[in-house]
Coordinates of all heavy atoms in Angstrom, one line a residue:
I7 N -10.1 -29.8 -53.0 CA -11.0 -28.9 -53.7 C -12.0 -29.7 -54.6 O -13.1 -29.3 -54.6 CB -10.1 -28.0 -54.7 CG1 -9.3 -27.1 -53.8 CG2 -11.0 -27.2 -55.6 CD1 -8.3 -26.2 -54.6
L8 N -11.6 -30.8 -55.2 CA -12.6 -31.5 -56.0 C -13.7 -32.0 -55.1 O -14.9 -32.0 -55.5 CB -11.9 -32.7 -56.7 CG -11.0 -32.3 -57.8 CD1 -10.3 -33.6 -58.4 CD2 -11.7 -31.6 -58.9
F9 N -13.4 -32.5 -53.9 CA -14.5 -33.0 -53.0 C -15.5 -31.9 -52.7 O -16.7 -32.1 -52.7 CB -13.8 -33.6 -51.8 CG -14.9 -34.1 -50.8 CD1 -15.4 -35.4 -51.1 CD2 -15.2 -33.4 -49.7 CE1 -16.4 -35.9 -50.2 CE2 -16.2 -34.0 -48.8 CZ -16.7 -35.2 -49.1
T10 N -14.9 -30.7 -52.4 CA -15.8 -29.5 -52.1 C -16.7 -29.2 -53.3 O -17.9 -29.0 -53.1 CB -14.9 -28.3 -51.8 OG1 -14.1 -28.7 -50.7 CG2 -15.8 -27.1 -51.4
V11 N -16.2 -29.2 -54.5 CA -17.0 -28.9 -55.7 C -18.0 -30.0 -55.9 O -19.2 -29.7 -56.2 CB -16.1 -28.6 -56.9 CG1 -16.9 -28.5 -58.2 CG2 -15.3 -27.4 -56.7
A12 N -17.7 -31.2 -55.8 CA -18.6 -32.3 -56.0 C -19.8 -32.3 -55.0 O -20.9 -32.7 -55.4 CB -17.9 -33.6 -55.9
N13 N -19.5 -31.8 -53.8 CA -20.6 -31.7 -52.8 C -21.3 -30.4 -52.8 O -22.3 -30.2 -52.0 CB -20.0 -32.0 -51.4 CG -19.6 -33.4 -51.3 OD1 -20.3 -34.3 -51.7 ND2 -18.5 -33.6 -50.6
N14 N -21.0 -29.5 -53.7 CA -21.6 -28.2 -53.8 C -21.7 -27.7 -55.2 O -20.9 -26.9 -55.7 CB -20.8 -27.2 -52.9 CG -21.6 -25.9 -52.7 OD1 -22.6 -25.7 -53.4 ND2 -21.1 -25.0 -51.9
P15 N -22.7 -28.3 -55.9 CA -22.8 -27.9 -57.4 C -23.0 -26.4 -57.6 O -22.8 -26.0 -58.7 CB -24.0 -28.7 -57.9 CG -24.7 -29.2 -56.6 CD -23.8 -29.2 -55.5
S16 N -23.5 -25.7 -56.6 CA -23.7 -24.3 -56.9 C -22.4 -23.6 -57.1 O -22.3 -22.5 -57.8 CB -24.4 -23.6 -55.7 OG -23.6 -23.6 -54.5
L17 N -21.2 -24.1 -56.6 CA -19.9 -23.5 -56.9 C -19.6 -23.6 -58.4 O -19.1 -22.7 -59.0 CB -18.8 -24.2 -56.1 CG -18.8 -24.0 -54.6 CD1 -17.7 -24.8 -54.0 CD2 -18.6 -22.5 -54.3
V18 N -20.0 -24.8 -59.0 CA -19.8 -24.9 -60.5 C -20.7 -24.0 -61.2 O -20.3 -23.3 -62.2 CB -20.1 -26.4 -60.9 CG1 -20.0 -26.6 -62.4 CG2 -19.1 -27.3 -60.2
Q19 N -22.0 -23.9 -60.8 CA -22.9 -23.0 -61.4 C -22.4 -21.5 -61.4 O -22.4 -20.8 -62.4 CB -24.3 -23.0 -60.8 CG -25.0 -24.3 -61.0 CD -26.3 -24.4 -60.2 OE1 -26.7 -23.5 -59.5 NE2 -26.9 -25.6 -60.3
Q20 N -21.9 -21.1 -60.2 CA -21.3 -19.8 -60.1 C -20.1 -19.5 -61.0 O -19.9 -18.4 -61.5 CB -21.0 -19.5 -58.6 CG -22.2 -19.4 -57.8 CD -21.9 -19.3 -56.3 OE1 -20.8 -19.0 -55.9 NE2 -22.9 -19.5 -55.4
A21 N -19.3 -20.6 -61.1 CA -18.1 -20.4 -62.0 C -18.5 -20.2 -63.4 O -18.0 -19.3 -64.1 CB -17.2 -21.7 -61.9
F22 N -19.5 -21.0 -63.9 CA -20.0 -20.8 -65.3 C -20.7 -19.4 -65.4 O -20.5 -18.7 -66.4 CB -20.9 -21.9 -65.7 CG -20.2 -23.1 -66.2 CD1 -20.0 -24.2 -65.4 CD2 -19.7 -23.1 -67.5 CE1 -19.3 -25.3 -65.9 CE2 -19.0 -24.2 -68.0 CZ -18.8 -25.3 -67.2
L23 N -21.5 -19.1 -64.5 CA -22.2 -17.8 -64.5 C -21.3 -16.6 -64.5 O -21.6 -15.5 -65.1 CB -23.2 -17.7 -63.3 CG -24.5 -18.4 -63.5 CD1 -25.2 -18.5 -62.1 CD2 -25.4 -17.8 -64.5
S24 N -20.1 -16.7 -64.0 CA -19.1 -15.6 -64.0 C -18.7 -15.2 -65.4 O -18.4 -14.1 -65.7 CB -17.9 -15.9 -63.2 OG -17.1 -16.9 -63.8
G25 N -18.8 -16.2 -66.3 CA -18.5 -15.9 -67.7 C -19.6 -15.9 -68.7 O -19.5 -15.3 -69.8
Y26 N -20.7 -16.4 -68.3 CA -21.9 -16.6 -69.2 C -23.2 -16.0 -68.6 O -24.3 -16.5 -68.9 CB -22.1 -18.0 -69.6 CG -21.0 -18.6 -70.4 CD1 -20.0 -19.5 -69.8 CD2 -20.8 -18.4 -71.7 CE1 -19.0 -20.0 -70.5 CE2 -19.8 -19.0 -72.5 CZ -18.9 -19.8 -71.8 OH -17.8 -20.3 -72.5
K27 N -23.1 -15.0 -67.8 CA -24.3 -14.5 -67.1 C -25.4 -14.1 -68.0 O -26.6 -14.3 -67.7 CB -23.9 -13.3 -66.2 CG -24.9 -12.9 -65.2 CD -24.5 -11.7 -64.4 CE -23.1 -11.9 -63.8 NZ -22.7 -10.8 -62.9
C28 N -25.0 -13.5 -69.1 CA -26.0 -13.1 -70.1 C -26.7 -14.2 -70.9 O -27.6 -14.0 -71.6 CB -25.4 -12.1 -71.1 SG -25.0 -10.5 -70.3
Q29 N -26.1 -15.4 -70.8 CA -26.6 -16.5 -71.5 C -27.5 -17.5 -70.7 O -27.3 -18.7 -70.6 CB -25.4 -17.3 -72.2 CG -24.8 -16.4 -73.3 CD -23.6 -17.0 -73.9 OE1 -22.6 -16.4 -74.0 NE2 -23.7 -18.3 -74.4
T30 N -28.4 -16.8 -70.0 CA -29.4 -17.6 -69.2 C -30.7 -17.5 -69.9 O -31.0 -16.6 -70.7 CB -29.5 -17.1 -67.8 OG1 -29.8 -15.7 -67.8 CG2 -28.2 -17.2 -67.1
A31 N -31.6 -18.5 -69.6 CA -32.9 -18.4 -70.2 C -33.9 -19.0 -69.1 O -33.6 -20.0 -68.4 CB -33.0 -19.3 -71.4
R32 N -35.1 -18.4 -69.0 CA -36.1 -18.8 -68.1 C -37.2 -19.6 -68.9 O -37.5 -19.2 -70.1 CB -36.8 -17.7 -67.4 CG -35.8 -17.1 -66.4 CD -36.6 -16.2 -65.4 NE -35.7 -15.7 -64.4 CZ -35.3 -16.3 -63.3 NH1 -35.8 -17.5 -63.0 NH2 -34.5 -15.7 -62.5
I33 N -37.8 -20.5 -68.3 CA -38.9 -21.3 -69.0 C -40.1 -20.3 -69.1 O -40.4 -19.5 -68.3 CB -39.3 -22.5 -68.2 CG1 -40.1 -23.4 -69.1 CG2 -40.0 -22.2 -66.9 CD1 -39.9 -24.9 -68.9
S34 N -40.7 -20.4 -70.3 CA -41.9 -19.5 -70.6 C -43.1 -20.0 -69.8 O -43.2 -21.2 -69.4 CB -42.1 -19.6 -72.1 OG -41.0 -19.1 -72.8
P35 N -44.1 -19.1 -69.7 CA -45.3 -19.5 -68.9 C -46.0 -20.7 -69.6 O -46.6 -21.5 -68.9 CB -46.2 -18.3 -69.0 CG -45.2 -17.1 -69.2 CD -44.1 -17.7 -70.0
D36 N -45.9 -20.9 -70.9 CA -46.5 -22.1 -71.5 C -45.7 -23.4 -71.3 O -46.2 -24.4 -71.6 CB -46.7 -21.8 -73.0 CG -45.3 -21.7 -73.8 OD1 -44.2 -21.9 -73.2 OD2 -45.4 -21.4 -75.0
M37 N -44.6 -23.3 -70.6 CA -43.7 -24.4 -70.3 C -43.3 -25.2 -71.5 O -42.9 -26.4 -71.4 CB -44.5 -25.4 -69.3 CG -45.0 -24.7 -68.1 SD -43.7 -24.3 -66.9 CE -43.4 -25.8 -66.1
K38 N -43.3 -24.6 -72.7 CA -42.9 -25.3 -73.9 C -41.6 -24.8 -74.5 O -41.0 -25.4 -75.3 CB -44.0 -25.2 -75.0 CG -45.2 -25.9 -74.6 CD -46.3 -25.8 -75.7 CE -47.5 -26.6 -75.3 NZ -48.6 -26.5 -76.3
S39 N -41.1 -23.6 -74.0 CA -39.9 -23.0 -74.5 C -39.3 -22.2 -73.4 O -39.8 -22.1 -72.3 CB -40.2 -22.1 -75.8 OG -41.1 -21.1 -75.4
Y40 N -38.1 -21.6 -73.8 CA -37.4 -20.7 -72.8 C -37.3 -19.3 -73.5 O -37.2 -19.2 -74.7 CB -36.0 -21.3 -72.6 CG -36.0 -22.5 -71.7 CD1 -36.3 -23.8 -72.3 CD2 -35.8 -22.5 -70.4 CE1 -36.4 -24.9 -71.5 CE2 -35.9 -23.6 -69.6 CZ -36.2 -24.8 -70.1 OH -36.2 -25.9 -69.4
T41 N -37.2 -18.3 -72.6 CA -36.9 -17.0 -73.1 C -35.6 -16.5 -72.6 O -35.3 -16.6 -71.4 CB -38.0 -16.0 -72.6 OG1 -39.3 -16.5 -73.0 CG2 -37.8 -14.6 -73.1
T42 N -34.7 -16.1 -73.5 CA -33.4 -15.7 -73.2 C -33.3 -14.4 -72.4 O -34.2 -13.5 -72.7 CB -32.5 -15.7 -74.4 OG1 -32.9 -14.6 -75.3 CG2 -32.4 -17.0 -75.2
A43 N -32.4 -14.2 -71.5 CA -32.2 -13.0 -70.8 C -31.8 -11.9 -71.7 O -32.2 -10.7 -71.6 CB -31.2 -13.2 -69.7
K44 N -30.9 -12.2 -72.7 CA -30.4 -11.3 -73.6 C -31.2 -11.4 -74.9 O -31.1 -12.4 -75.6 CB -28.9 -11.6 -73.9 CG -28.3 -10.5 -74.8 CD -26.8 -10.9 -75.0 CE -26.1 -9.9 -75.9 NZ -24.7 -10.2 -76.1
G45 N -32.0 -10.4 -75.2 CA -32.7 -10.3 -76.4 C -34.2 -10.9 -76.4 O -34.9 -10.8 -77.4
N46 N -34.6 -11.5 -75.3 CA -35.9 -12.0 -75.1 C -36.3 -12.9 -76.3 O -37.4 -12.8 -76.9 CB -37.0 -10.9 -75.0 CG -37.1 -10.4 -73.6 OD1 -36.7 -11.1 -72.6 ND2 -37.7 -9.3 -73.4
I47 N -35.4 -13.8 -76.7 CA -35.6 -14.7 -77.8 C -36.2 -16.0 -77.2 O -35.8 -16.6 -76.2 CB -34.2 -15.0 -78.5 CG1 -33.6 -13.7 -79.0 CG2 -34.4 -16.1 -79.5 CD1 -32.2 -13.9 -79.5
S48 N -37.3 -16.5 -77.9 CA -37.9 -17.7 -77.6 C -37.1 -18.9 -78.2 O -36.8 -18.9 -79.4 CB -39.3 -17.7 -78.1 OG -40.0 -19.0 -77.7
A49 N -36.7 -19.9 -77.4 CA -35.9 -21.0 -77.9 C -36.2 -22.2 -77.1 O -36.8 -22.2 -76.0 CB -34.4 -20.6 -77.7
S50 N -35.9 -23.4 -77.7 CA -36.1 -24.7 -77.1 C -34.7 -25.3 -76.9 O -33.7 -25.0 -77.5 CB -36.9 -25.6 -78.1 OG -38.1 -25.0 -78.3
I51 N -34.7 -26.2 -75.9 CA -33.4 -27.0 -75.7 C -33.2 -27.9 -76.9 O -34.1 -28.6 -77.4 CB -33.5 -27.7 -74.4 CG1 -33.5 -26.7 -73.2 CG2 -32.3 -28.7 -74.2 CD1 -33.6 -27.3 -71.9
H52 N -32.0 -28.0 -77.4 CA -31.7 -28.8 -78.6 C -31.9 -30.3 -78.3 O -31.7 -30.8 -77.2 CB -30.2 -28.6 -78.9 CG -29.9 -29.0 -80.3 ND1 -29.5 -30.3 -80.5 CD2 -29.9 -28.4 -81.5 CE1 -29.2 -30.5 -81.8 NE2 -29.5 -29.3 -82.4
P53 N -32.5 -31.0 -79.3 CA -32.8 -32.4 -79.1 C -31.6 -33.3 -78.8 O -31.8 -34.3 -78.2 CB -33.4 -32.8 -80.5 CG -33.8 -31.5 -81.1 CD -32.9 -30.4 -80.6
S54 N -30.4 -32.9 -79.1 CA -29.2 -33.7 -78.7 C -28.9 -33.5 -77.2 O -28.0 -34.3 -76.7 CB -28.1 -33.3 -79.6 OG -27.6 -32.0 -79.3
S55 N -29.5 -32.6 -76.5 CA -29.2 -32.4 -75.1 C -29.8 -33.4 -74.2 O -30.9 -33.9 -74.5 CB -29.6 -31.0 -74.7 OG -29.5 -30.8 -73.3
S56 N -29.1 -33.8 -73.1 CA -29.7 -34.7 -72.2 C -30.8 -34.0 -71.4 O -31.6 -34.7 -70.8 CB -28.6 -35.1 -71.2 OG -28.1 -34.0 -70.5
L57 N -31.0 -32.7 -71.5 CA -32.1 -32.0 -70.9 C -33.3 -31.8 -71.8 O -34.3 -31.2 -71.4 CB -31.6 -30.6 -70.4 CG -30.5 -30.6 -69.3 CD1 -30.1 -29.2 -69.0 CD2 -30.9 -31.4 -68.1
F58 N -33.2 -32.3 -73.0 CA -34.3 -32.2 -73.9 C -35.5 -32.9 -73.3 O -35.5 -33.9 -72.7 CB -33.9 -32.9 -75.3 CG -35.0 -32.8 -76.3 CD1 -35.3 -31.5 -76.9 CD2 -35.6 -33.9 -76.8 CE1 -36.3 -31.5 -77.9 CE2 -36.5 -33.8 -77.8 CZ -36.9 -32.6 -78.4
K59 N -36.7 -32.2 -73.5 CA -38.0 -32.7 -73.0 C -38.1 -32.7 -71.5 O -38.9 -33.3 -70.9 CB -38.3 -34.1 -73.6 CG -38.6 -34.0 -75.1 CD -39.2 -35.3 -75.5 CE -39.6 -35.2 -77.0 NZ -40.2 -36.4 -77.5
Q60 N -37.2 -31.9 -70.9 CA -37.3 -31.7 -69.4 C -37.6 -30.3 -69.2 O -37.2 -29.4 -70.0 CB -36.0 -32.1 -68.7 CG -35.6 -33.5 -68.8 CD -34.3 -33.8 -68.1 OE1 -33.9 -33.1 -67.1 NE2 -33.6 -34.8 -68.5
E61 N -38.3 -30.0 -68.1 CA -38.6 -28.6 -67.8 C -37.9 -28.2 -66.5 O -38.0 -28.7 -65.5 CB -40.1 -28.5 -67.6 CG -40.9 -28.8 -68.8 CD -42.4 -29.0 -68.5 OE1 -42.8 -28.9 -67.3 OE2 -43.2 -29.2 -69.5
H62 N -37.1 -27.1 -66.7 CA -36.3 -26.5 -65.6 C -36.6 -25.0 -65.6 O -36.6 -24.4 -66.7 CB -34.8 -26.8 -65.8 CG -34.5 -28.3 -65.7 ND1 -34.4 -29.0 -64.6 CD2 -34.3 -29.1 -66.7 CE1 -34.2 -30.3 -64.9 NE2 -34.1 -30.4 -66.2
P63 N -36.8 -24.4 -64.5 CA -37.1 -23.0 -64.4 C -36.1 -22.1 -65.0 O -36.4 -21.1 -65.6 CB -37.3 -22.7 -62.9 CG -37.5 -24.0 -62.3 CD -36.8 -25.0 -63.1
L64 N -34.8 -22.5 -64.9 CA -33.7 -21.6 -65.3 C -32.5 -22.4 -65.8 O -32.2 -23.4 -65.2 CB -33.3 -20.8 -64.1 CG -32.3 -19.7 -64.3 CD1 -32.7 -18.6 -65.3 CD2 -32.0 -19.0 -62.9
V65 N -32.0 -22.1 -67.0 CA -30.9 -22.8 -67.6 C -29.8 -21.7 -68.0 O -30.1 -20.6 -68.3 CB -31.3 -23.7 -68.8 CG1 -32.2 -24.8 -68.3 CG2 -31.9 -22.9 -69.9
L66 N -28.6 -22.2 -68.2 CA -27.5 -21.5 -68.8 C -27.1 -22.2 -70.0 O -27.1 -23.4 -70.0 CB -26.4 -21.4 -67.8 CG -25.1 -20.7 -68.3 CD1 -24.6 -19.7 -67.2 CD2 -24.1 -21.7 -68.6
Y67 N -26.9 -21.5 -71.1 CA -26.5 -22.1 -72.4 C -25.3 -21.5 -72.9 O -24.9 -20.4 -72.6 CB -27.7 -22.0 -73.4 CG -28.0 -20.6 -73.8 CD1 -27.4 -20.0 -74.9 CD2 -28.9 -19.8 -73.0 CE1 -27.7 -18.7 -75.2 CE2 -29.2 -18.5 -73.4 CZ -28.5 -17.9 -74.5 OH -28.8 -16.6 -74.8
N68 N -24.6 -22.3 -73.7 CA -23.3 -21.8 -74.3 C -23.6 -21.3 -75.8 O -22.9 -20.4 -76.2 CB -22.3 -22.9 -74.4 CG -21.0 -22.4 -74.9 OD1 -20.5 -21.4 -74.6 ND2 -20.4 -23.2 -75.8
E69 N -24.6 -21.8 -76.4 CA -24.7 -21.5 -77.9 C -26.2 -21.4 -78.2 O -27.0 -22.2 -77.8 CB -24.1 -22.7 -78.7 CG -24.0 -22.4 -80.1 CD -23.3 -23.6 -80.8 OE1 -23.0 -24.6 -80.2 OE2 -22.9 -23.4 -82.0
L70 N -26.5 -20.5 -79.0 CA -27.9 -20.3 -79.5 C -27.8 -20.6 -81.0 O -27.1 -19.9 -81.8 CB -28.3 -18.8 -79.3 CG -29.8 -18.4 -79.4 CD1 -30.6 -19.2 -78.4 CD2 -29.9 -16.9 -79.3
V71 N -28.6 -21.6 -81.5 CA -28.5 -22.1 -82.8 C -29.8 -21.9 -83.5 O -30.9 -22.2 -83.0 CB -28.1 -23.6 -82.9 CG1 -28.1 -24.1 -84.3 CG2 -26.8 -23.8 -82.2
S72 N -29.8 -21.3 -84.7 CA -31.0 -21.0 -85.4 C -31.1 -21.9 -86.7 O -30.3 -21.8 -87.6 CB -31.1 -19.6 -85.8 OG -32.3 -19.3 -86.5
T73 N -32.0 -22.9 -86.7 CA -32.2 -23.7 -87.9 C -33.7 -23.5 -88.2 O -34.1 -22.4 -88.4 CB -31.9 -25.2 -87.5 OG1 -32.7 -25.6 -86.5 CG2 -30.4 -25.4 -87.2
S74 N -34.4 -24.6 -88.3 CA -35.9 -24.5 -88.5 C -36.5 -23.8 -87.3 O -37.6 -23.3 -87.3 CB -36.5 -25.8 -88.8 OG -36.3 -26.7 -87.7
K75 N -35.9 -24.0 -86.1 CA -36.3 -23.3 -84.8 C -35.0 -22.8 -84.2 O -33.9 -23.0 -84.7 CB -36.8 -24.4 -83.9 CG -38.2 -24.8 -84.1 CD -38.6 -26.0 -83.1 CE -38.9 -25.5 -81.7 NZ -39.4 -26.5 -80.9
V76 N -35.2 -22.0 -83.1 CA -34.1 -21.5 -82.4 C -33.9 -22.5 -81.2 O -34.8 -22.8 -80.5 CB -34.3 -20.1 -81.9 CG1 -33.1 -19.6 -81.1 CG2 -34.6 -19.1 -83.0
F77 N -32.6 -22.9 -81.1 CA -32.3 -23.9 -80.0 C -31.2 -23.4 -79.1 O -30.3 -22.7 -79.5 CB -31.8 -25.2 -80.7 CG -32.9 -26.0 -81.4 CD1 -32.9 -26.0 -82.8 CD2 -33.8 -26.7 -80.7 CE1 -33.9 -26.7 -83.4 CE2 -34.8 -27.4 -81.3 CZ -34.8 -27.4 -82.7
L78 N -31.2 -23.9 -77.9 CA -30.2 -23.6 -76.9 C -29.3 -24.9 -76.9 O -29.9 -26.0 -76.8 CB -30.8 -23.4 -75.5 CG -31.8 -22.4 -75.3 CD1 -32.4 -22.4 -73.9 CD2 -31.2 -21.0 -75.6
R79 N -28.0 -24.7 -77.0 CA -27.1 -25.9 -77.0 C -26.1 -25.8 -75.8 O -25.9 -24.7 -75.4 CB -26.3 -26.0 -78.3 CG -27.3 -26.5 -79.4 CD -26.6 -26.9 -80.7 NE -25.4 -27.7 -80.5 CZ -24.6 -28.0 -81.4 NH1 -24.8 -27.6 -82.6 NH2 -23.5 -28.7 -81.2
N80 N -25.6 -26.9 -75.4 CA -24.7 -26.9 -74.3 C -25.3 -26.3 -73.1 O -24.9 -25.2 -72.6 CB -23.3 -26.3 -74.6 CG -22.7 -26.9 -75.9 OD1 -22.7 -28.1 -76.0 ND2 -22.2 -26.0 -76.7
V81 N -26.3 -26.9 -72.6 CA -27.2 -26.3 -71.5 C -26.9 -27.0 -70.2 O -26.6 -28.2 -70.1 CB -28.7 -26.6 -71.9 CG1 -29.6 -26.1 -70.9 CG2 -29.0 -26.0 -73.3
M82 N -27.0 -26.2 -69.1 CA -26.9 -26.7 -67.8 C -28.0 -26.1 -66.9 O -28.4 -24.9 -67.2 CB -25.6 -26.6 -67.1 CG -25.2 -25.2 -66.7 SD -23.6 -25.0 -66.0 CE -23.8 -25.6 -64.3
V83 N -28.5 -26.8 -66.0 CA -29.6 -26.2 -65.1 C -28.8 -25.4 -64.0 O -27.8 -25.7 -63.5 CB -30.3 -27.4 -64.4 CG1 -31.3 -26.8 -63.4 CG2 -31.0 -28.3 -65.4
I84 N -29.4 -24.2 -63.8 CA -28.9 -23.4 -62.7 C -30.0 -23.0 -61.8 O -31.2 -23.2 -62.1 CB -28.2 -22.1 -63.2 CG1 -29.1 -21.3 -64.1 CG2 -26.9 -22.5 -64.0 CD1 -28.5 -19.9 -64.5
D85 N -29.7 -22.5 -60.6 CA -30.8 -22.1 -59.7 C -30.7 -20.6 -59.5 O -29.7 -20.0 -59.7 CB -30.8 -22.9 -58.4 CG -29.4 -22.8 -57.7 OD1 -28.9 -21.8 -57.6 OD2 -29.0 -23.9 -57.2
D86 N -31.9 -20.1 -59.0 CA -32.0 -18.6 -58.8 C -30.9 -18.1 -57.8 O -30.4 -17.0 -58.0 CB -33.4 -18.3 -58.3 CG -34.4 -18.2 -59.4 OD1 -34.0 -17.7 -60.5 OD2 -35.5 -18.7 -59.3
S87 N -30.6 -18.9 -56.8 CA -29.6 -18.4 -55.8 C -28.2 -18.3 -56.4 O -27.5 -17.3 -56.1 CB -29.6 -19.4 -54.6 OG -29.2 -20.7 -55.0
S88 N -27.9 -19.1 -57.3 CA -26.6 -19.0 -58.0 C -26.5 -17.8 -58.9 O -25.6 -17.0 -59.0 CB -26.2 -20.2 -58.8 OG -26.0 -21.3 -58.0
L89 N -27.7 -17.5 -59.6 CA -27.8 -16.4 -60.4 C -27.7 -15.1 -59.6 O -27.0 -14.1 -60.0 CB -29.1 -16.4 -61.3 CG -29.3 -15.3 -62.3 CD1 -28.1 -15.2 -63.3 CD2 -30.6 -15.4 -63.0
A90 N -28.4 -15.1 -58.5 CA -28.4 -13.9 -57.6 C -27.0 -13.7 -57.1 O -26.6 -12.5 -57.0 CB -29.4 -14.1 -56.5
A91 N -26.3 -14.7 -56.7 CA -25.0 -14.6 -56.2 C -24.0 -14.0 -57.2 O -23.1 -13.2 -56.9 CB -24.4 -15.9 -55.7
S92 N -24.2 -14.4 -58.5 CA -23.4 -13.9 -59.6 C -23.6 -12.4 -59.9 O -22.8 -11.7 -60.3 CB -23.5 -14.7 -60.8 OG -24.7 -14.5 -61.5
N93 N -24.8 -12.0 -59.6 CA -25.2 -10.6 -59.8 C -24.6 -9.7 -58.7 O -24.4 -8.5 -59.0 CB -26.7 -10.4 -59.8 CG -27.3 -10.9 -61.1 OD1 -26.7 -11.0 -62.1 ND2 -28.5 -11.4 -61.0
K94 N -24.2 -10.2 -57.6 CA -23.5 -9.4 -56.6 C -22.1 -9.2 -56.8 O -21.5 -8.3 -56.2 CB -23.7 -10.1 -55.2 CG -25.1 -10.2 -54.7 CD -25.1 -11.0 -53.4 CE -26.6 -11.1 -53.0 NZ -26.7 -11.9 -51.7
V95 N -21.5 -9.9 -57.7 CA -20.0 -9.8 -58.0 C -19.8 -8.6 -59.0 O -20.5 -8.3 -59.8 CB -19.5 -11.1 -58.7 CG1 -18.1 -10.9 -59.1 CG2 -19.7 -12.2 -57.7

């Protein structure tokens, strides 16, 4: 099973999406922030994240933190096909 998951990251994405489907965010047209699926909140990836200063079309986050800005924490990149597959369930 571990070999299968290691060779197919979309399985991991689908597993996380099964519990956190509403906690996705798409990159904004300005490519400087993300807009959350739930609430249309504009947020940036937290500076402590390994994905900070990277641009990905779609991410899943575990935590939304509001300090001087709104940040997404515990972020992973997901793809549209994984999101679409999770919507079929």
Side-chain angles (χ1 to χ4, degrees):
I7 294 176
L8 290 177
F9 182 76
T10 303
V11 171
N13 289 322
N14 191 350
S16 67
L17 291 176
V18 176
Q19 293 175 2
Q20 290 172 17
F22 276 100
L23 282 166
S24 69
Y26 296 100
K27 192 182 309 185
C28 293
Q29 290 178 233
T30 58
R32 289 199 180 273
I33 196 146
S34 300
D36 65 6
M37 304 291 276
K38 294 181 181 178
S39 63
Y40 288 83
T41 303
T42 63
K44 185 177 179 182
N46 277 341
I47 299 167
S48 181
S50 299
I51 293 178
H52 195 272
S54 66
S55 172
S56 62
L57 298 178
F58 182 64
K59 292 192 178 181
Q60 295 181 26
E61 297 168 355
H62 298 281
L64 186 60
V65 296
L66 178 133
Y67 62 93
N68 182 45
E69 186 177 15
L70 196 63
V71 178
S72 182
T73 59
S74 59
K75 278 176 80 172
V76 179
F77 290 105
L78 307 172
R79 289 191 42 190
N80 305 319
V81 179
M82 74 180 283
V83 177
I84 57 172
D85 54 44
D86 281 315
S87 61
S88 293
L89 184 59
S92 73
N93 287 331
K94 293 178 184 176
V95 176

